[in-house]
Amino acid sequence: MALSEIEHKKIEKALGGFMARRRPPAHLRDQLDLGHRITGQSVEIFEVRPQWDNPSDCIEIPIAKATYVRSNRSWKIYWQRADLKWHRYEPQPSVRSIDNFLAVVEADEYACFFG
């Protein structure tokens, strides 16, 4: 089941604050930027940059993902490893709110999200 409209708005607001803090300065955004998307019950944060061999094309590099589990009202946290698969973030595999998820990503204690 997808997120409700109210939940969607709350998530967009939280992501807006996160993006305002983490995005690079405006003059660099054509070379490096952050983006996000909400798909179903998942939120994904990604880096946007020009493709190295064709700068007119942009690529998205995944940073973090959270999936809402309605049955226990928690968000599962994932990060993408070198095998290009999403893996649970073992130091803190789940949190209770989207704000807690964004705090874990922003802290990035183990350099799994931003390197």
Side-chain angles (χ1 to χ4, degrees):
M1 178 191 289
L3 298 164
S4 72
E5 188 174 329
I6 293 169
E7 291 168 326
H8 199 278
K9 294 287 184 192
K10 182 180 177 184
I11 293 165
E12 282 290 345
K13 183 178 178 182
L15 284 167
F18 175 82
M19 292 295 166
R21 290 187 304 275
R22 292 297 304 210
R23 284 180 80 189
H27 70 280
L28 296 177
R29 291 182 186 162
D30 61 334
Q31 295 299 312
L32 174 66
D33 203 357
L34 287 181
H36 68 275
R37 75 172 58 87
I38 301 171
T39 308
Q41 301 213 165
S42 294
V43 173
E44 187 178 344
I45 300 170
F46 52 88
E47 187 177 274
V48 180
R49 61 174 55 226
Q51 189 169 324
W52 71 273
D53 61 347
N54 185 2
S56 62
D57 287 342
C58 286
I59 58 171
E60 295 178 358
I61 302 167
I63 293 173
K65 179 179 172 181
T67 300
Y68 187 64
V69 181
R70 195 171 298 279
S71 63
N72 62 2
R73 296 185 191 158
S74 68
W75 289 88
K76 290 182 181 178
I77 301 176
Y78 298 92
W79 66 292
Q80 195 172 74
R81 297 185 68 161
D83 64 4
L84 302 179
K85 294 180 182 177
W86 289 106
H87 296 267
R88 291 289 294 274
Y89 182 65
E90 290 305 323
Q92 192 163 359
S94 66
V95 292
R96 285 288 181 195
S97 72
I98 193 70
D99 293 317
N100 292 346
F101 161 65
L102 295 172
V104 168
V105 173
E106 196 158 12
D108 198 13
E109 285 183 51
Y110 296 92
C112 292
F113 304 115
F114 293 101

